Amino acid sequence: MPAAHFSACPDCDLLLNRALPQIGSTAHCPRCGCLLHRPRTDSVERTLALSIAGLLLLFPANFLPLVGIKVLGHEKDGTLWTGVMTLFNEHQWAVAILVFLSSILLPFINIVLCLLVSGHLHHNRRHRYLTHWLYWLQHLEEWAMLEVYCLGIIVACVKLSAMAELQFGLGLYAFVGLLFTNALLTSNLDGHLFWQRIAQLNGQHYEN
Amino acid sequence: MKINTALAQGLVRCHSCGFLGKRDIRLTKCPLCASPLHGRQPHSVQKTLAYLLSAYLLYIPANIFPIMTVTKLGAGEPHTIIGGIIALINSDMLPIALLVLVASILVPLLKLIGISLLLLYVQRGWTGDAYRWTVMYRIISFVGRWSMLDIFMISILVALVDMGSISEVLAGPAATAFGAVVVLTMLAAKSFDPRLIWDNQNKP
């Protein structure tokens, strides 16, 4: 195939000789500066380990109280779920669904997809839906917004600090842990390598 | 100067997995990941424009109507987005006020204007510094999600401040509109194909 020695920049479509940078270095498009390739050490194994860690942190982060407040003797805890449920009970369905998707469901789906893909690649096991999983992972990634939610917690706490006493719950620590796990997960998953490994498993000759 | 793009050489890059294949009518799906193969994202300008116009329309109710109502000892006080920022400034929380100002007012507004300019650039066949425009596109796509800050903050506040008549926070109608603006501008940025910026350079 004539295309085998070339690749194209995703942002400006410049035809390039395939870059194969060393681990630790990066390849950028010479014309538009787009990050083309950033290989990682043990990308598959790290993704597997981090997604297991993320799955463990997900439950305490979702169900344990993040922040609690105390006003005139009343105490109240807030978890990721109570926010969504309260919005739902106030008939703010659209907002409730948006918050549910971006702070609960999509982070969960992302971690599960990472686990499935890296688990199969680690054990060199084929699966009918392997390409679909990686495809959806790449497309859903940007809709999980844990780090924005974290900033939301900070702003809410500053607003409340004037009128009430705040307590930070165990859930918050799990949530911050999940946030870091997620960030590491995104930076350690090497898309090029994953697609290459999948092609090898499927017996296709392919380089990207 | 004619620059070699993949499309000019009859090659097509898969948007998902980076596979580079020969452009062929029979090759509609990527042989590796089975996602549809296109030289450029189909109807990119039209889709972006549709999302953008909807976002512009919803930006109006998002700023006019109250985004939340704060009740203290029975007296309800509706806050618009700007009202919430003014309340923060009045209670001497300037850094947080600036943060909310950037996330909920400046970022959505600059995104709307930025994407409009990108569409004009492509449609009008401008040939200005394509590198700068690409950087602008990258900033727009990166920064969009941070506008959700206000929505998340409200979701935490309504859950925590829920003590009947003593004090209560209720989400307002602008929350839905504002959430929709954020999602629509993200979709607009996602459906815009940055390679169109560079295609302008190659046109004679």
Side-chain angles (χ1 to χ4, degrees), chain A residues 8 11-13 15 31-32 67 74 76 83 90 92 102 135 138-139 142 144 147 149 152-153 155 158-160 195 204 206 208, chain B residues 4-7 13 16-17 19 31-33 40 93 131 138 145-146 149 152-153 155-156 159-160 166 170-172 176 190 195 198:
Chain A
D11 273 8
C12 75
D13 209 31
L15 200 57
R31 183 161 73 149
C32 72
V67 212
H74 290 256
K76 182 99 180 139
E90 287 178 14
Q92 294 281 351
S102 52
Y135 173 86
Q138 286 184 334
H139 284 265
E142 68 172 311
E147 69 279 24
Y149 199 96
I153 297 178
V155 175
V158 171
K159 276 196 161 188
L160 288 174
W195 283 115
Q204 284 165 302
Y206 153 87
N208 60 352
Chain B
N4 256 346
T5 61
L7 194 64
R13 180 188 187 275
S16 296
C17 69
F19 169 86
L32 178 65
C33 70
R40 297 286 177 267
M93 295 190 239
Y131 178 76
R138 281 186 203 135
R145 54 217 310 270
W146 290 94
L149 174 67
F152 290 145
M153 186 194 70
S155 130
I156 300 161
L160 281 179
I166 301 173
L170 294 173
T176 309
K190 209 173 152 64
R195 293 173 292 189
W198 294 91

Short mmCIF file of all heavy atoms in Angstrom, two decimals, chain A residues 8 11-13 15 31-32 67 74 76 83 90 92 102 135 138-139 142 144 147 149 152-153 155 158-160 195 204 206 208, chain B residues 4-7 13 16-17 19 31-33 40 93 131 138 145-146 149 152-153 155-156 159-160 166 170-172 176 190 195 198:
data_model
loop_
_atom_site.label_atom_id
_atom_site.label_comp_id
_atom_site.label_asym_id
_atom_site.label_seq_id
_atom_site.Cartn_x
_atom_site.Cartn_y
_atom_site.Cartn_z
N ALA A 8 -1.07 11.50 8.12
CA ALA A 8 -1.58 12.84 7.87
C ALA A 8 -1.89 13.52 9.19
O ALA A 8 -2.28 12.87 10.15
CB ALA A 8 -2.84 12.78 7.01
N ASP A 11 -5.21 17.85 12.21
CA ASP A 11 -5.73 19.22 12.25
C ASP A 11 -5.57 19.98 10.94
O ASP A 11 -6.33 20.89 10.66
CB ASP A 11 -5.05 20.02 13.37
CG ASP A 11 -5.78 19.83 14.69
OD1 ASP A 11 -6.69 18.98 14.74
OD2 ASP A 11 -5.44 20.52 15.65
N CYS A 12 -4.52 19.65 10.14
CA CYS A 12 -4.36 20.43 8.90
C CYS A 12 -4.17 19.54 7.67
O CYS A 12 -3.99 20.05 6.58
CB CYS A 12 -3.22 21.45 9.03
SG CYS A 12 -1.58 20.75 8.95
N ASP A 13 -4.22 18.21 7.85
CA ASP A 13 -4.18 17.27 6.74
C ASP A 13 -2.87 17.28 5.96
O ASP A 13 -2.82 16.84 4.82
CB ASP A 13 -5.36 17.54 5.79
CG ASP A 13 -5.80 16.25 5.08
OD1 ASP A 13 -5.65 15.18 5.69
OD2 ASP A 13 -6.27 16.33 3.94
N LEU A 15 0.49 16.00 4.63
CA LEU A 15 1.01 14.65 4.45
C LEU A 15 2.42 14.59 5.04
O LEU A 15 3.28 15.40 4.69
CB LEU A 15 1.03 14.30 2.97
CG LEU A 15 1.08 12.83 2.61
CD1 LEU A 15 -0.10 12.08 3.23
CD2 LEU A 15 1.07 12.66 1.11
N ARG A 31 3.59 22.09 10.41
CA ARG A 31 2.85 23.22 9.86
C ARG A 31 1.92 23.86 10.88
O ARG A 31 1.93 25.08 11.06
CB ARG A 31 2.05 22.78 8.63
CG ARG A 31 1.33 23.92 7.97
CD ARG A 31 0.91 23.62 6.56
NE ARG A 31 -0.22 22.70 6.49
CZ ARG A 31 -1.11 22.73 5.51
NH1 ARG A 31 -1.02 23.63 4.56
NH2 ARG A 31 -2.08 21.85 5.49
N CYS A 32 1.12 23.04 11.59
CA CYS A 32 0.13 23.64 12.48
C CYS A 32 0.44 23.39 13.95
O CYS A 32 -0.26 23.88 14.82
CB CYS A 32 -1.28 23.15 12.15
SG CYS A 32 -1.59 21.46 12.63
N VAL A 67 -19.34 17.22 50.74
CA VAL A 67 -19.29 18.36 51.67
C VAL A 67 -20.55 18.31 52.53
O VAL A 67 -21.61 17.90 52.08
CB VAL A 67 -19.32 19.71 50.92
CG1 VAL A 67 -18.54 20.75 51.69
CG2 VAL A 67 -18.81 19.58 49.52
N HIS A 74 -29.13 22.67 61.89
CA HIS A 74 -29.47 21.70 60.85
C HIS A 74 -28.19 21.22 60.16
O HIS A 74 -27.34 22.04 59.83
CB HIS A 74 -30.37 22.33 59.78
CG HIS A 74 -31.74 22.62 60.27
ND1 HIS A 74 -32.82 21.86 59.94
CD2 HIS A 74 -32.19 23.59 61.09
CE1 HIS A 74 -33.89 22.35 60.51
NE2 HIS A 74 -33.54 23.41 61.22
N LYS A 76 -26.56 18.92 56.91
CA LYS A 76 -26.94 18.39 55.60
C LYS A 76 -25.68 17.98 54.84
O LYS A 76 -24.70 18.72 54.80
CB LYS A 76 -27.70 19.50 54.84
CG LYS A 76 -28.19 19.09 53.50
CD LYS A 76 -29.66 18.69 53.53
CE LYS A 76 -30.07 18.30 52.14
NZ LYS A 76 -30.93 17.17 52.06
N GLY A 83 -27.20 15.91 44.54
CA GLY A 83 -27.31 17.06 43.64
C GLY A 83 -28.23 16.75 42.47
O GLY A 83 -29.16 17.51 42.17
N GLU A 90 -36.88 19.05 41.65
CA GLU A 90 -37.32 20.43 41.38
C GLU A 90 -37.79 20.58 39.94
O GLU A 90 -37.97 21.69 39.47
CB GLU A 90 -36.17 21.41 41.63
CG GLU A 90 -35.84 21.62 43.08
CD GLU A 90 -34.68 22.57 43.27
OE1 GLU A 90 -34.31 23.25 42.29
OE2 GLU A 90 -34.13 22.61 44.37
N GLN A 92 -36.13 20.17 37.27
CA GLN A 92 -35.10 20.66 36.34
C GLN A 92 -34.49 19.45 35.63
O GLN A 92 -33.32 19.15 35.79
CB GLN A 92 -34.02 21.42 37.10
CG GLN A 92 -34.49 22.69 37.76
CD GLN A 92 -34.59 23.82 36.77
OE1 GLN A 92 -34.16 23.71 35.63
NE2 GLN A 92 -35.17 24.93 37.19
N SER A 102 -22.46 14.11 32.86
CA SER A 102 -21.09 14.58 32.81
C SER A 102 -20.31 14.33 34.10
O SER A 102 -19.09 14.34 34.08
CB SER A 102 -21.05 16.07 32.44
OG SER A 102 -21.89 16.78 33.28
N TYR A 135 -13.25 3.18 20.02
CA TYR A 135 -13.89 4.25 19.27
C TYR A 135 -14.73 5.13 20.19
O TYR A 135 -14.61 6.35 20.23
CB TYR A 135 -14.74 3.65 18.16
CG TYR A 135 -15.59 4.63 17.39
CD1 TYR A 135 -15.07 5.32 16.30
CD2 TYR A 135 -16.91 4.87 17.75
CE1 TYR A 135 -15.84 6.23 15.60
CE2 TYR A 135 -17.70 5.77 17.05
CZ TYR A 135 -17.15 6.44 15.98
OH TYR A 135 -17.92 7.33 15.28
N GLN A 138 -12.74 7.21 22.71
CA GLN A 138 -12.16 8.44 22.15
C GLN A 138 -13.21 9.53 21.96
O GLN A 138 -12.91 10.70 22.07
CB GLN A 138 -11.50 8.14 20.80
CG GLN A 138 -10.19 7.40 20.96
CD GLN A 138 -9.50 7.19 19.64
OE1 GLN A 138 -10.12 7.15 18.59
NE2 GLN A 138 -8.19 7.04 19.69
N HIS A 139 -14.45 9.13 21.68
CA HIS A 139 -15.46 10.14 21.40
C HIS A 139 -16.19 10.64 22.64
O HIS A 139 -16.75 11.73 22.63
CB HIS A 139 -16.46 9.60 20.38
CG HIS A 139 -15.91 9.60 18.99
ND1 HIS A 139 -16.13 10.61 18.11
CD2 HIS A 139 -15.08 8.74 18.37
CE1 HIS A 139 -15.48 10.36 16.98
NE2 HIS A 139 -14.84 9.23 17.12
N GLU A 142 -14.32 13.66 26.13
CA GLU A 142 -14.40 15.08 26.45
C GLU A 142 -15.70 15.46 27.17
O GLU A 142 -15.81 16.56 27.68
CB GLU A 142 -14.25 15.94 25.20
CG GLU A 142 -15.40 15.81 24.24
CD GLU A 142 -15.30 16.81 23.10
OE1 GLU A 142 -15.08 17.99 23.38
OE2 GLU A 142 -15.42 16.39 21.94
N ALA A 144 -16.89 13.87 29.86
CA ALA A 144 -16.77 13.62 31.29
C ALA A 144 -16.04 14.81 31.90
O ALA A 144 -14.94 15.14 31.47
CB ALA A 144 -16.01 12.33 31.54
N GLU A 147 -13.11 17.38 36.48
CA GLU A 147 -12.28 18.48 36.96
C GLU A 147 -13.07 19.78 37.04
O GLU A 147 -12.84 20.61 37.93
CB GLU A 147 -11.01 18.63 36.10
CG GLU A 147 -11.22 19.11 34.69
CD GLU A 147 -11.65 18.02 33.73
OE1 GLU A 147 -12.21 17.00 34.17
OE2 GLU A 147 -11.44 18.19 32.51
N TYR A 149 -16.29 19.82 37.71
CA TYR A 149 -17.12 19.62 38.90
C TYR A 149 -16.34 19.98 40.16
O TYR A 149 -16.88 20.58 41.08
CB TYR A 149 -17.58 18.17 38.97
CG TYR A 149 -18.78 17.95 39.86
CD1 TYR A 149 -20.05 17.92 39.34
CD2 TYR A 149 -18.62 17.82 41.23
CE1 TYR A 149 -21.15 17.75 40.14
CE2 TYR A 149 -19.72 17.65 42.05
CZ TYR A 149 -20.98 17.61 41.51
OH TYR A 149 -22.06 17.45 42.33
N GLY A 152 -16.39 23.48 40.61
CA GLY A 152 -17.73 23.83 41.07
C GLY A 152 -17.86 23.66 42.58
O GLY A 152 -18.45 24.50 43.26
N ILE A 153 -17.28 22.57 43.11
CA ILE A 153 -17.32 22.34 44.56
C ILE A 153 -16.60 23.48 45.27
O ILE A 153 -17.09 24.02 46.26
CB ILE A 153 -16.64 20.99 44.92
CG1 ILE A 153 -17.41 19.83 44.31
CG2 ILE A 153 -16.55 20.82 46.43
CD1 ILE A 153 -16.79 18.49 44.57
N VAL A 155 -16.05 26.61 44.27
CA VAL A 155 -16.81 27.86 44.22
C VAL A 155 -18.00 27.79 45.18
O VAL A 155 -18.27 28.74 45.92
CB VAL A 155 -17.27 28.17 42.79
CG1 VAL A 155 -18.16 29.39 42.75
CG2 VAL A 155 -16.08 28.38 41.88
N VAL A 158 -16.86 28.27 48.74
CA VAL A 158 -16.52 29.66 49.07
C VAL A 158 -17.80 30.47 49.27
O VAL A 158 -17.91 31.25 50.21
CB VAL A 158 -15.65 30.29 47.95
CG1 VAL A 158 -15.48 31.77 48.17
CG2 VAL A 158 -14.30 29.60 47.90
N LYS A 159 -18.80 30.23 48.42
CA LYS A 159 -20.08 30.95 48.57
C LYS A 159 -20.72 30.64 49.91
O LYS A 159 -21.29 31.50 50.55
CB LYS A 159 -21.04 30.56 47.44
CG LYS A 159 -20.83 31.34 46.17
CD LYS A 159 -22.03 31.19 45.28
CE LYS A 159 -22.06 32.30 44.26
NZ LYS A 159 -23.28 32.34 43.49
N LEU A 160 -20.66 29.35 50.31
CA LEU A 160 -21.35 28.94 51.52
C LEU A 160 -20.59 29.30 52.78
O LEU A 160 -21.17 29.44 53.84
CB LEU A 160 -21.57 27.42 51.49
CG LEU A 160 -22.61 26.92 50.51
CD1 LEU A 160 -22.61 25.41 50.47
CD2 LEU A 160 -23.98 27.45 50.89
N TRP A 195 -4.41 1.30 18.85
CA TRP A 195 -4.96 0.90 17.56
C TRP A 195 -4.05 -0.10 16.87
O TRP A 195 -4.52 -1.04 16.22
CB TRP A 195 -5.18 2.12 16.66
CG TRP A 195 -6.40 2.90 17.02
CD1 TRP A 195 -6.45 4.17 17.49
CD2 TRP A 195 -7.77 2.46 16.95
NE1 TRP A 195 -7.74 4.56 17.73
CE2 TRP A 195 -8.57 3.53 17.40
CE3 TRP A 195 -8.38 1.27 16.56
CZ2 TRP A 195 -9.96 3.45 17.46
CZ3 TRP A 195 -9.77 1.19 16.62
CH2 TRP A 195 -10.54 2.26 17.07
N GLN A 204 -4.58 -7.81 11.13
CA GLN A 204 -4.49 -6.86 10.02
C GLN A 204 -3.11 -6.22 10.04
O GLN A 204 -2.56 -5.94 11.12
CB GLN A 204 -5.54 -5.76 10.19
CG GLN A 204 -6.93 -6.20 9.84
CD GLN A 204 -7.96 -5.22 10.35
OE1 GLN A 204 -8.03 -4.94 11.54
NE2 GLN A 204 -8.74 -4.68 9.43
N TYR A 206 -1.21 -3.04 9.72
CA TYR A 206 -1.62 -1.65 9.75
C TYR A 206 -0.68 -0.85 10.63
O TYR A 206 -0.24 -1.30 11.68
CB TYR A 206 -3.05 -1.57 10.29
CG TYR A 206 -3.39 -0.28 10.96
CD1 TYR A 206 -3.88 0.78 10.22
CD2 TYR A 206 -3.22 -0.13 12.33
CE1 TYR A 206 -4.20 1.96 10.83
CE2 TYR A 206 -3.54 1.06 12.94
CZ TYR A 206 -4.04 2.09 12.20
OH TYR A 206 -4.35 3.26 12.80
N ASN A 208 -0.28 3.35 12.01
CA ASN A 208 -0.90 4.68 11.88
C ASN A 208 0.06 5.77 12.30
O ASN A 208 1.04 5.53 12.95
CB ASN A 208 -2.19 4.76 12.68
CG ASN A 208 -1.98 4.50 14.15
OD1 ASN A 208 -0.89 4.11 14.56
ND2 ASN A 208 -2.99 4.68 14.95
N ASN B 4 1.45 19.81 0.01
CA ASN B 4 0.94 18.47 -0.09
C ASN B 4 0.04 18.11 1.09
O ASN B 4 0.51 17.87 2.19
CB ASN B 4 2.11 17.47 -0.10
CG ASN B 4 2.34 16.95 -1.49
OD1 ASN B 4 1.50 17.12 -2.37
ND2 ASN B 4 3.47 16.32 -1.67
N THR B 5 -1.25 18.07 0.86
CA THR B 5 -2.12 17.52 1.89
C THR B 5 -2.48 16.10 1.48
O THR B 5 -2.33 15.72 0.33
CB THR B 5 -3.41 18.34 2.02
OG1 THR B 5 -4.11 18.30 0.78
CG2 THR B 5 -3.10 19.78 2.38
N ALA B 6 -2.95 15.35 2.46
CA ALA B 6 -3.32 13.96 2.17
C ALA B 6 -4.40 13.93 1.10
O ALA B 6 -4.36 13.12 0.17
CB ALA B 6 -3.78 13.28 3.45
N LEU B 7 -5.37 14.85 1.24
CA LEU B 7 -6.50 14.84 0.30
C LEU B 7 -6.02 15.14 -1.12
O LEU B 7 -6.49 14.52 -2.08
CB LEU B 7 -7.54 15.87 0.75
CG LEU B 7 -8.90 15.76 0.09
CD1 LEU B 7 -9.57 14.44 0.44
CD2 LEU B 7 -9.79 16.92 0.51
N ARG B 13 -7.59 10.27 5.79
CA ARG B 13 -7.21 9.83 7.13
C ARG B 13 -8.46 9.54 7.94
O ARG B 13 -9.40 10.32 7.98
CB ARG B 13 -6.44 10.95 7.83
CG ARG B 13 -5.99 10.61 9.22
CD ARG B 13 -5.40 11.83 9.90
NE ARG B 13 -4.83 11.47 11.18
CZ ARG B 13 -5.53 11.39 12.30
NH1 ARG B 13 -6.82 11.64 12.30
NH2 ARG B 13 -4.94 11.07 13.43
N SER B 16 -10.94 8.54 13.55
CA SER B 16 -10.86 7.89 14.85
C SER B 16 -9.49 7.26 15.10
O SER B 16 -8.90 7.47 16.15
CB SER B 16 -11.91 6.79 14.96
OG SER B 16 -13.18 7.36 14.91
N CYS B 17 -8.99 6.47 14.16
CA CYS B 17 -7.81 5.68 14.48
C CYS B 17 -6.58 6.13 13.70
O CYS B 17 -5.49 5.60 13.91
CB CYS B 17 -8.08 4.20 14.24
SG CYS B 17 -8.26 3.76 12.52
N PHE B 19 -5.88 5.79 10.57
CA PHE B 19 -5.57 4.99 9.38
C PHE B 19 -5.57 5.88 8.14
O PHE B 19 -6.43 6.73 7.97
CB PHE B 19 -6.62 3.88 9.25
CG PHE B 19 -6.59 3.14 7.95
CD1 PHE B 19 -5.75 2.06 7.78
CD2 PHE B 19 -7.40 3.55 6.89
CE1 PHE B 19 -5.72 1.38 6.58
CE2 PHE B 19 -7.37 2.86 5.69
CZ PHE B 19 -6.53 1.79 5.54
N PRO B 31 -11.08 0.27 7.31
CA PRO B 31 -10.92 -1.19 7.42
C PRO B 31 -10.55 -1.63 8.83
O PRO B 31 -10.76 -2.78 9.20
CB PRO B 31 -9.79 -1.50 6.43
CG PRO B 31 -9.13 -0.21 6.15
CD PRO B 31 -10.12 0.88 6.40
N LEU B 32 -10.00 -0.73 9.63
CA LEU B 32 -9.60 -1.13 10.97
C LEU B 32 -10.70 -0.89 11.99
O LEU B 32 -11.11 -1.81 12.70
CB LEU B 32 -8.34 -0.36 11.39
CG LEU B 32 -7.93 -0.71 12.82
CD1 LEU B 32 -7.51 -2.15 12.92
CD2 LEU B 32 -6.83 0.20 13.28
N CYS B 33 -11.22 0.33 12.07
CA CYS B 33 -12.14 0.62 13.18
C CYS B 33 -13.57 0.76 12.71
O CYS B 33 -14.45 1.03 13.52
CB CYS B 33 -11.70 1.85 13.95
SG CYS B 33 -11.88 3.39 13.07
N ARG B 40 -13.00 15.23 4.37
CA ARG B 40 -13.28 16.27 5.36
C ARG B 40 -14.58 15.87 6.04
O ARG B 40 -15.39 15.16 5.45
CB ARG B 40 -13.46 17.63 4.68
CG ARG B 40 -12.23 18.15 3.96
CD ARG B 40 -11.19 18.62 4.95
NE ARG B 40 -9.98 19.05 4.25
CZ ARG B 40 -8.94 18.28 4.01
NH1 ARG B 40 -8.95 17.02 4.41
NH2 ARG B 40 -7.87 18.74 3.38
N MET B 93 -15.63 38.69 47.64
CA MET B 93 -15.00 37.47 47.16
C MET B 93 -14.58 37.69 45.71
O MET B 93 -15.06 37.03 44.80
CB MET B 93 -15.97 36.29 47.29
CG MET B 93 -16.29 35.99 48.72
SD MET B 93 -17.17 34.46 48.87
CE MET B 93 -18.67 34.98 49.65
N TYR B 131 -2.12 29.51 10.99
CA TYR B 131 -1.60 28.92 12.23
C TYR B 131 -2.33 29.53 13.43
O TYR B 131 -2.78 28.83 14.33
CB TYR B 131 -0.10 29.15 12.32
CG TYR B 131 0.51 28.63 13.59
CD1 TYR B 131 0.72 27.26 13.75
CD2 TYR B 131 0.86 29.48 14.62
CE1 TYR B 131 1.26 26.77 14.91
CE2 TYR B 131 1.40 29.00 15.80
CZ TYR B 131 1.60 27.64 15.94
OH TYR B 131 2.12 27.15 17.09
N ARG B 138 -8.14 25.59 18.72
CA ARG B 138 -7.76 24.66 19.80
C ARG B 138 -8.14 25.22 21.16
O ARG B 138 -8.61 24.49 22.04
CB ARG B 138 -6.26 24.39 19.75
CG ARG B 138 -5.92 23.38 18.70
CD ARG B 138 -4.47 22.98 18.70
NE ARG B 138 -4.16 22.49 17.39
CZ ARG B 138 -3.08 22.80 16.71
NH1 ARG B 138 -2.17 23.59 17.23
NH2 ARG B 138 -2.90 22.31 15.51
N ARG B 145 -15.64 23.23 27.97
CA ARG B 145 -16.23 22.47 29.06
C ARG B 145 -16.21 23.21 30.39
O ARG B 145 -17.04 22.95 31.26
CB ARG B 145 -15.50 21.14 29.20
CG ARG B 145 -14.00 21.31 29.37
CD ARG B 145 -13.23 20.22 28.65
NE ARG B 145 -13.71 18.92 28.96
CZ ARG B 145 -13.26 18.17 29.96
NH1 ARG B 145 -12.30 18.61 30.71
NH2 ARG B 145 -13.75 16.98 30.18
N TRP B 146 -15.28 24.15 30.57
CA TRP B 146 -15.15 24.82 31.86
C TRP B 146 -16.34 25.73 32.17
O TRP B 146 -16.52 26.14 33.32
CB TRP B 146 -13.84 25.61 31.93
CG TRP B 146 -12.69 24.67 31.99
CD1 TRP B 146 -11.95 24.21 30.95
CD2 TRP B 146 -12.19 24.01 33.16
NE1 TRP B 146 -11.02 23.31 31.39
CE2 TRP B 146 -11.14 23.18 32.74
CE3 TRP B 146 -12.53 24.04 34.50
CZ2 TRP B 146 -10.43 22.38 33.62
CZ3 TRP B 146 -11.82 23.25 35.38
CH2 TRP B 146 -10.78 22.43 34.94
N LEU B 149 -19.05 25.01 34.94
CA LEU B 149 -18.81 25.37 36.33
C LEU B 149 -20.07 25.82 37.05
O LEU B 149 -20.41 25.33 38.12
CB LEU B 149 -17.74 26.47 36.36
CG LEU B 149 -17.44 27.10 37.70
CD1 LEU B 149 -16.81 26.10 38.62
CD2 LEU B 149 -16.50 28.28 37.53
N PHE B 152 -22.62 23.00 37.69
CA PHE B 152 -22.21 22.08 38.75
C PHE B 152 -22.33 22.75 40.12
O PHE B 152 -22.75 22.12 41.09
CB PHE B 152 -20.77 21.62 38.52
CG PHE B 152 -20.63 20.69 37.35
CD1 PHE B 152 -19.50 20.72 36.55
CD2 PHE B 152 -21.62 19.79 37.05
CE1 PHE B 152 -19.38 19.87 35.47
CE2 PHE B 152 -21.50 18.93 35.97
CZ PHE B 152 -20.38 18.97 35.18
N MET B 153 -21.96 24.04 40.16
CA MET B 153 -22.05 24.76 41.42
C MET B 153 -23.50 24.77 41.91
O MET B 153 -23.77 24.52 43.08
CB MET B 153 -21.55 26.18 41.22
CG MET B 153 -21.46 26.97 42.47
SD MET B 153 -21.27 28.70 42.07
CE MET B 153 -22.86 29.09 41.41
N SER B 155 -25.80 22.59 41.18
CA SER B 155 -26.19 21.24 41.59
C SER B 155 -25.72 20.94 43.01
O SER B 155 -26.41 20.25 43.76
CB SER B 155 -25.66 20.23 40.58
OG SER B 155 -24.99 19.18 41.20
N ILE B 156 -24.55 21.48 43.39
CA ILE B 156 -24.08 21.27 44.77
C ILE B 156 -24.88 22.13 45.74
O ILE B 156 -25.30 21.67 46.80
CB ILE B 156 -22.57 21.59 44.88
CG1 ILE B 156 -21.77 20.69 43.95
CG2 ILE B 156 -22.09 21.43 46.31
CD1 ILE B 156 -20.40 21.22 43.65
N ALA B 159 -28.40 20.84 46.57
CA ALA B 159 -28.39 19.67 47.43
C ALA B 159 -28.09 20.05 48.88
O ALA B 159 -28.68 19.51 49.81
CB ALA B 159 -27.36 18.65 46.93
N LEU B 160 -27.17 20.99 49.06
CA LEU B 160 -26.73 21.33 50.41
C LEU B 160 -27.69 22.30 51.09
O LEU B 160 -28.08 22.09 52.24
CB LEU B 160 -25.34 21.97 50.36
CG LEU B 160 -24.16 21.03 50.21
CD1 LEU B 160 -22.88 21.81 50.15
CD2 LEU B 160 -24.12 20.05 51.36
N ILE B 166 -35.83 28.18 56.26
CA ILE B 166 -34.63 28.83 56.82
C ILE B 166 -33.75 29.32 55.68
O ILE B 166 -33.42 30.49 55.58
CB ILE B 166 -33.84 27.86 57.71
CG1 ILE B 166 -34.72 27.38 58.86
CG2 ILE B 166 -32.59 28.53 58.24
CD1 ILE B 166 -34.09 26.32 59.69
N LEU B 170 -32.92 27.22 44.90
CA LEU B 170 -33.64 26.54 43.83
C LEU B 170 -33.02 26.92 42.50
O LEU B 170 -32.65 28.08 42.29
CB LEU B 170 -35.12 26.95 43.83
CG LEU B 170 -35.96 26.52 45.04
CD1 LEU B 170 -37.33 27.16 44.97
CD2 LEU B 170 -36.07 25.00 45.09
N ALA B 171 -32.92 25.95 41.59
CA ALA B 171 -32.40 26.26 40.27
C ALA B 171 -33.48 27.00 39.47
O ALA B 171 -34.66 26.75 39.64
CB ALA B 171 -32.01 24.98 39.54
N GLY B 172 -33.06 27.94 38.62
CA GLY B 172 -34.01 28.72 37.85
C GLY B 172 -34.06 28.30 36.39
O GLY B 172 -33.30 27.43 35.97
N THR B 176 -31.29 25.69 32.62
CA THR B 176 -31.47 24.82 31.45
C THR B 176 -30.90 25.48 30.20
O THR B 176 -30.16 24.85 29.44
CB THR B 176 -32.97 24.53 31.24
OG1 THR B 176 -33.53 24.09 32.47
CG2 THR B 176 -33.16 23.48 30.17
N LYS B 190 -16.92 20.82 18.03
CA LYS B 190 -16.59 19.45 17.65
C LYS B 190 -16.91 19.19 16.17
O LYS B 190 -16.20 18.43 15.51
CB LYS B 190 -17.37 18.48 18.53
CG LYS B 190 -16.68 17.15 18.75
CD LYS B 190 -17.46 16.33 19.76
CE LYS B 190 -17.29 14.85 19.54
NZ LYS B 190 -15.93 14.36 19.73
N ARG B 195 -9.31 21.47 9.36
CA ARG B 195 -8.57 21.35 8.10
C ARG B 195 -9.11 22.30 7.03
O ARG B 195 -8.39 22.65 6.09
CB ARG B 195 -8.65 19.89 7.60
CG ARG B 195 -7.89 18.95 8.54
CD ARG B 195 -8.10 17.52 8.18
NE ARG B 195 -9.48 17.09 8.42
CZ ARG B 195 -9.89 15.84 8.34
NH1 ARG B 195 -9.02 14.91 8.06
NH2 ARG B 195 -11.13 15.51 8.56
N TRP B 198 -7.00 25.36 6.65
CA TRP B 198 -5.78 25.20 5.84
C TRP B 198 -6.10 25.00 4.37
O TRP B 198 -5.27 25.30 3.52
CB TRP B 198 -4.96 24.02 6.38
CG TRP B 198 -4.44 24.32 7.75
CD1 TRP B 198 -5.06 24.04 8.92
CD2 TRP B 198 -3.26 25.03 8.07
NE1 TRP B 198 -4.33 24.51 9.97
CE2 TRP B 198 -3.21 25.12 9.48
CE3 TRP B 198 -2.21 25.58 7.32
CZ2 TRP B 198 -2.15 25.74 10.15
CZ3 TRP B 198 -1.17 26.19 7.99
CH2 TRP B 198 -1.15 26.27 9.39
#
